[in-house]
Amino acid sequence: VDMEILHNSTDFILLGLITHPTCPGLIFAVIFSIFVVAVTANVAMILLIHGDPHLHTPMYFLLSQLSFMDTVYICVTVPKTLQDLLSKEKTISFLGCAFQIFFYLTLVGGEFFLLGFMAYDRYVAVCRPLRYPLLMNRRVCLFMVVSSWVGGSLDGFMLSPVTMSFPYCGPREINHFFCEIPAVLKLSCTDTSLYETLMYACCVLMLLIPLSVISVSYTHILITVHRMNSAKGRHKAFTTCSSHIMVVIIFYGAAFYTNVLPHSYHTPEKDKVVSAFYTILTPMLNPLIYSLRNKDVEEALRKALGRCAASRRIRAGGVPRKY
C-alpha cells in the first residue's frame, strides 16, 4: 500500500548525506554545530559592518552582502537536512523541491557574480587608489549588488521550471540531502541529455564570466604589488587580497567539480561530499576567513565587545542591591 501511495504521490524522498547512517545523532550534532557557527558568524559580520562607521566602505558593503547570501544559502538546505536526520519521513514536496532548486541556483549564481565584483573592487583599491572614490561610489556598489542578485535569479528562473517540468516516475528517491538538479534529473522518465548539455553550457558561462574578471583583476594586482617600494604597502595589499583569493578558490573549486567535470568523474557519494562542502562548510568558512585575517574587522569586534561589556557593567551597577 505504501509503495502504491508513493508511486501516485508528487512528493520526493531525500536519501540524505549518508544513505543509512549508523549514528545519525552524531551527524546531526556536527551539522547543527556548523549551521549555528555559520549563521552566527555571518549575522555578526553583517551587524559589525552595519554598526561600525570605519567599515562603511565599498569593500565591507560587498562583504556584508556575501554574508547575507551565505546566511540565506545555508538556511535553504541545512534545516531540512537536520529534520530528515531525526525523522523517518524524509519526504519533500514537489513545490518544496522546486523552491530549493530555485533559491540554491539564485544564491550560488549571485555569489559567483559578487565574488567577481569584489575582485574588481580590490583591483581599483590597489591599482587605481586615487580614482577609488569615483570608480567605487555608492551607486556603483548598489549596481554590483543588484546585478549579482539579478544574475543569480536569472539562473534560477531559467533552470528551475524546466527541471520540474520533466515527468518523474519510479520510487522518486533522490540520492542526495537536498534537491540538486543532477540528482533530481536521474529520476526522470524521459531523456534529459539535451537539457543537461544546455545546463552545462549555462553553468560554464556563469563560471567563466566572473572567473575572467577575477583572473584579470588579480593579475594586475600582483604586478602592482610586485612594483611597490613599501614593504608595509605590499603586506597590507597582500593580506587584504589573500582572504578573497582563499574564498574564491574554495567556492569556485567545488563549483568547477560540480558543473564542469564530465560525468565519468562523478559518483553520487562524491557529489554529496562536494555539495556538503560548499552548501554547509563554505558559508561557515567565509566569515571566519575574512574576520581572522582582517585587522579592521578584529578592531570593530573588539570595540563591539567592549561596548557590550561596558553596558552590562552599567546595568549591573544600576540595579539596587537587596539587603
Side-chain angles (χ1 to χ4, degrees):
V1 177
D2 287 346
M3 282 307 290
E4 195 179 317
I5 292 167
L6 194 59
H7 275 282
N8 297 329
S9 169
T10 57
D11 290 354
F12 293 100
I13 291 175
L14 292 166
L15 295 181
L17 186 59
I18 298 163
T19 312
H20 299 292
T22 48
C23 43
L26 179 64
I27 297 163
F28 177 90
V30 171
I31 295 173
F32 181 72
S33 303
I34 293 168
F35 176 72
V36 169
V37 171
V39 172
T40 307
N42 281 297
V43 170
M45 186 69 87
I46 295 164
L47 293 174
L48 274 180
I49 292 166
H50 180 73
D52 195 307
H54 292 103
L55 301 181
H56 292 177
T57 63
M59 182 179 98
Y60 291 110
F61 175 66
L62 295 175
L63 182 54
S64 70
Q65 288 300 311
L66 182 70
S67 288
F68 178 67
M69 281 183 179
D70 278 337
T71 306
V72 181
Y73 183 40
I74 199 167
C75 290
V76 167
T77 54
V78 173
K80 176 64 183 151
T81 304
L82 291 170
Q83 183 193 328
D84 289 346
L85 281 165
L86 295 181
S87 65
K88 287 180 181 178
E89 291 283 318
K90 300 181 193 300
T91 57
I92 183 167
S93 68
F94 184 86
L95 197 62
C97 199
F99 273 121
Q100 263 199 352
I101 289 172
F102 172 75
F103 283 114
Y104 168 75
L105 288 172
T106 298
L107 291 156
V108 169
E111 232 171 274
F112 284 157
F113 289 121
L114 190 64
L115 289 170
F117 286 129
M118 288 172 82
Y120 173 76
D121 167 71
R122 290 300 81 213
Y123 157 73
V124 178
V126 175
C127 305
R128 301 279 185 271
L130 297 176
R131 299 192 68 199
Y132 188 77
L134 181 69
L135 293 173
M136 288 299 297
N137 60 47
R138 187 168 179 79
R139 194 179 293 173
V140 171
C141 292
L142 286 170
F143 170 78
M144 287 178 168
V145 169
V146 171
S147 299
S148 298
W149 281 103
V150 169
S153 61
L154 279 175
D155 200 30
F157 280 119
M158 278 193 301
L159 300 181
S160 308
V162 182
T163 303
M164 302 315 286
S165 67
F166 287 109
Y168 292 102
C169 49
R172 300 174 79 91
E173 291 181 340
I174 301 170
N175 190 5
H176 216 297
F177 61 95
F178 73 101
C179 290
E180 194 169 33
I181 291 179
V184 175
L185 288 177
K186 283 176 184 170
L187 309 183
S188 177
C189 312
T190 56
D191 181 32
T192 60
S193 55
L194 176 63
Y195 172 58
E196 285 181 59
T197 306
L198 291 169
M199 190 176 69
Y200 173 81
C202 174
C203 291
V204 168
L205 191 67
M206 280 197 75
L207 273 167
L208 283 179
I209 294 169
L211 205 54
S212 303
V213 173
I214 291 165
S215 304
V216 171
S217 297
Y218 277 102
T219 302
H220 282 288
I221 287 167
L222 286 170
I223 293 164
T224 307
V225 169
H226 181 68
R227 287 175 181 165
M228 280 180 182
N229 295 322
S230 161
K232 190 180 177 183
R234 265 204 304 269
H235 178 72
K236 190 181 178 185
F238 179 74
T239 49
T240 307
C241 296
S242 60
S243 300
H244 186 249
I245 290 169
M246 282 170 73
V247 170
V248 165
I249 289 168
I250 290 167
F251 195 72
Y252 277 85
F256 183 85
Y257 169 86
T258 305
N259 301 304
V260 179
L261 286 183
H263 285 295
S264 55
Y265 286 88
H266 291 259
T267 64
E269 284 67 36
K270 274 189 200 170
D271 288 353
K272 285 193 273 188
V273 169
V274 174
S275 294
F277 183 76
Y278 72 86
T279 56
I280 301 170
L281 276 175
T282 307
M284 179 188 76
L285 291 173
N286 286 355
L288 296 179
I289 288 167
Y290 276 106
S291 59
L292 292 173
R293 297 181 60 83
N294 194 304
K295 284 189 167 64
D296 293 337
V297 174
E298 284 176 13
E299 187 60 37
L301 184 61
R302 205 176 292 119
K303 280 184 197 168
L305 292 172
R307 281 197 298 271
C308 286
S311 64
R312 202 173 291 155
R313 279 199 298 272
I314 290 162
R315 276 204 302 271
V319 175
R321 291 182 181 182
K322 291 182 180 178
Y323 292 98

